[in-house]
Amino acid sequence: MPAIPSDAPCGLVLAAGAGRRFGGPKALARTGAGTPWVALAARALREGGCSEVLVTLGASADEAVPLLPGGVTVVRVPDWQTGVAASVRAGIEAAACGSAPAVVILPVDTPDATSSAVARLARRAARGSLAYATYDDAPGHPVLIGRDHWSAVAASVRGDVGARPYLVAAGADAVECGDLWSGVDRDER
C-alpha cells in the first residue's frame, strides 16, 4: 500500500447503534466467512487513503472492541440510543482532535464497500470539501465532509437523521461510484 499523504482525510466508521431492524448491533455482525463488518469498514477506509480510522461504538461496545483491527481509535458514544446523530457528533469531535482536512464517513452496514470508492472521495479531501457517493444517481456512502463544515454538520444532525440534509442544502458534490460496488447497505439479516 502506498504511503498516505499528510493531507489525507480521517476515516470514520459509524457503528454505535443497536441495529433494531437488523436484530442486533451491526458492530457485531460478520460475513458468512466470519469477518467482522466493522473490520471490513475500517480496512476500506484505511486502504482508501484515510490517515487515521475512528470507529464509533455504543451498543455492545465491549463485545465489539475485540473485533476491531489494530491501529483504529475507538470513539465511545455514551448517548448512542438517541440515534445516528450522536455517532456523527462524537466522530466529528474526535476527528477535530487531529489535523485531517476532512473526514470520510462509512456506516458499518456497508460490508461490501470498496476501498476504491473511499479513495474516489478521499482524493477530494480539503477543508471546504463536501461530497457523497452515488450509485446510478441514488445517494449513498461514503460521504466526505471537510473540516470547515464539521461544526455545522454536528449542529444539524438530529436523532436518526444524519448529514444528508446538510449535504443536500450545502450543494455537496455527487460522486458516481456505481462502477465500483452496489452501494447497498444492509438493514436486515
Side-chain angles (χ1 to χ4, degrees):
M1 183 165 71
I4 294 175
S6 60
D7 61 346
C10 174
L12 174 60
V13 179
L14 301 179
R20 287 180 292 279
R21 289 178 291 168
F22 187 71
K26 294 177 187 176
L28 303 179
R30 295 174 181 262
T31 65
T35 306
W37 287 7
V38 70
L40 292 172
R43 182 171 48 207
L45 289 167
R46 176 73 72 200
E47 291 177 1
C50 293
S51 58
E52 176 184 19
V53 176
L54 309 171
V55 179
T56 63
L57 293 177
S60 300
D62 291 339
E63 294 104 296
V65 168
L67 304 178
L68 299 174
V72 304
T73 300
V74 172
V75 177
R76 299 273 181 159
V77 184
D79 56 343
W80 61 267
Q81 302 93 331
T82 64
V84 70
S87 289
V88 172
R89 279 191 299 273
I92 286 174
E93 183 178 314
C97 293
S99 61
V103 63
V104 177
I105 301 175
L106 189 63
V108 71
D109 64 359
T110 55
D112 300 319
T114 64
S115 60
S116 54
V118 171
R120 195 169 279 176
L121 270 80
R123 282 192 292 270
R124 297 168 164 265
R127 291 184 63 93
S129 301
L130 276 179
Y132 59 93
T134 60
Y135 300 89
D136 296 323
D137 295 323
H141 289 93
V143 302
L144 172 76
I145 302 172
R147 184 178 281 269
D148 291 350
H149 296 275
W150 291 356
S151 293
V153 168
S156 74
V157 295
R158 299 274 184 277
D160 275 330
V161 179
R164 176 102 29 235
Y166 181 89
L167 294 170
V168 171
D173 295 332
V175 179
E176 182 59 47
C177 293
D179 59 317
L180 303 174
W181 72 292
S182 69
V184 173
D185 65 339
R186 299 196 192 168
D187 288 329
E188 299 176 356
R189 287 191 193 263

